[in-house]
Structures are given as C-alpha cells and as structure tokens.
Amino acid sequence: MGILTLIFAAILLFIVLLNNAAAAPIRTMAMLPTVMPAQSPSNSSTLDHEQLMRHAIREARLSRNYPMGAVIVDSLTGKILTGAANDAHLDPTLHAEIVAIQKVARKQNVYWKDLVLYSTVEPCPMCLSAIIWAGIPRVYFGSSMLFLQQQGFSQIDIRAADIAARATFSTIEIHGGLLQKECNALLIGYK
C-alpha cells in the first residue's frame, strides 16, 4: 500500500505544479532580461553598425505614419538587401520590420541565418516574432520600447528580450541602444 500512496502523492504534486505553472504571471518589464548593448559580435564585426542604422533612420524619415524604419543586411557581404518604413496607416501589421521581411521574402535564394536586421525602435512582440520565425539571428535597435511608451506610443508591454527568451527553438542576439539619441530624436514630440 505504501507504493500506491507515493504514486498518488506524486500525481497530486504534479497536478498542483501544473496548475501553478499555468497561473504563473508573465514577467513584467522590471523582471525582463537585459538587452545586450550595441556592439559587434565576432561573426558580424565587419559590418559598420552605425552606418547601417543611419540607413534605417533615413527609412524612418520616409514614413507617412510613424517615424520608424528598418533595414535588412547580408552579414557576409555587408550589402543592404532592403529598407522599409512603417506603413501602419495602410495596414496595422505593416511595421517597418514586417515590411522589410516581406520584401526580402520575395527574393530568391535568401539565407535568413546570414541576415541582420536594424530597426530604429525595439521590435514589438509581433515584429520580433516574425524576425524569429524568419530565422534572422541578429537584431540591432535604437530606441527602447520604454522610451516609446514615455513618448505616448501605445505598446504591448512585452520587451524583445522576453519574446526571444521564450522562443526556445531559436537563438537570437538582440542589441539595443545603437544610435539611440538619433533614433529617439525621431520620436520626441511626434505624438
């Protein structure tokens, strides 16, 4: 009878743990992992990160809606494959990162693992999810989501690092604060 009691207790413990895990709150911004500072990882050290972010800033200035831009670069050649501005005035899902991914997806022979995405703002949950699903392994951004919120932009309060941490099937590097002052300047007083 002792073994049945242990099995029953183990099953009850498993049920309790399962219920507690399901009810666990999503981490708040204060508990999220820190985004890496913008620096060159060894496999993309030949890229001029600041120059590439300046291209994203130029794209952001072309936006007719929100001043947010992105570029996607081949990390092996340094070639900019595409740039995009936020087109959410046409379709609410057309954030700059999504538009850039769609443009690259139309090309043939895309090796997503060799690409780097530069965005003037920290990718929102929708955009970072698309970046992860595309297989882009590195992202650099300028303005943080926290700064966007301080400027009055509505944001889903889940940071890029938290989305990346939950994508257990993928590894992605996220580097924040690249040309942060210039990216922030695009947003100050916009809303």
Side-chain angles (χ1 to χ4, degrees):
M1 188 89 153
I3 191 78
L4 290 176
T5 304
L6 286 174
I7 292 172
F8 182 73
I11 291 171
L12 283 177
L13 179 61
F14 177 74
I15 291 170
V16 168
L17 290 175
L18 187 62
N19 285 336
N20 286 341
I26 295 175
R27 291 182 283 171
T28 63
M29 295 211 18
M31 299 184 317
L32 296 177
T34 305
V35 172
M36 293 182 271
Q39 56 189 355
S40 300
S42 59
N43 53 352
S44 67
S45 61
T46 59
L47 297 177
D48 184 343
H49 300 297
E50 289 187 0
Q51 187 61 31
L52 293 165
M53 182 59 82
R54 284 190 180 90
H55 283 280
I57 291 170
R58 282 195 285 279
E59 292 290 338
R61 289 185 178 130
L62 297 175
S63 176
R64 289 177 282 176
N65 189 19
Y66 296 115
M68 300 168 186
V71 296
I72 296 179
V73 178
D74 183 319
S75 66
L76 302 177
T77 65
K79 178 183 175 191
I80 296 174
L81 300 181
T82 193
N86 182 302
D87 279 335
H89 65 287
L90 301 173
D91 174 340
T93 65
L94 294 181
H95 293 192
E97 300 94 333
I98 300 291
V99 175
I101 289 169
Q102 289 175 346
K103 286 180 177 181
V104 170
R106 291 185 197 112
K107 299 176 186 277
Q108 293 183 351
N109 300 321
V110 176
Y111 297 101
W112 295 96
K113 65 178 179 49
D114 295 333
L115 305 182
V116 180
L117 187 140
Y118 294 82
S119 177
T120 57
V121 299
E122 181 176 355
C124 73
M126 174 184 70
C127 292
L128 193 70
S129 295
I131 292 164
I132 290 168
W133 284 114
I136 299 172
R138 283 181 301 288
V139 174
Y140 289 82
F141 69 84
S143 299
S144 70
M145 187 177 294
L146 193 57
F147 184 80
L148 283 169
Q149 291 168 331
Q150 291 168 350
Q151 299 306 307
F153 289 90
S154 298
Q155 293 292 309
I156 296 173
D157 200 9
I158 305 173
R159 302 283 308 267
D162 194 36
I163 299 293
R166 292 172 185 258
T168 57
F169 58 90
S170 176
T171 301
I172 184 169
E173 294 177 18
I174 302 171
H175 303 269
L178 181 61
L179 296 183
Q180 184 174 357
K181 288 181 184 177
E182 293 90 331
C183 293
N184 286 353
L186 294 168
L187 304 166
I188 293 173
Y190 184 81
K191 280 245 7 140

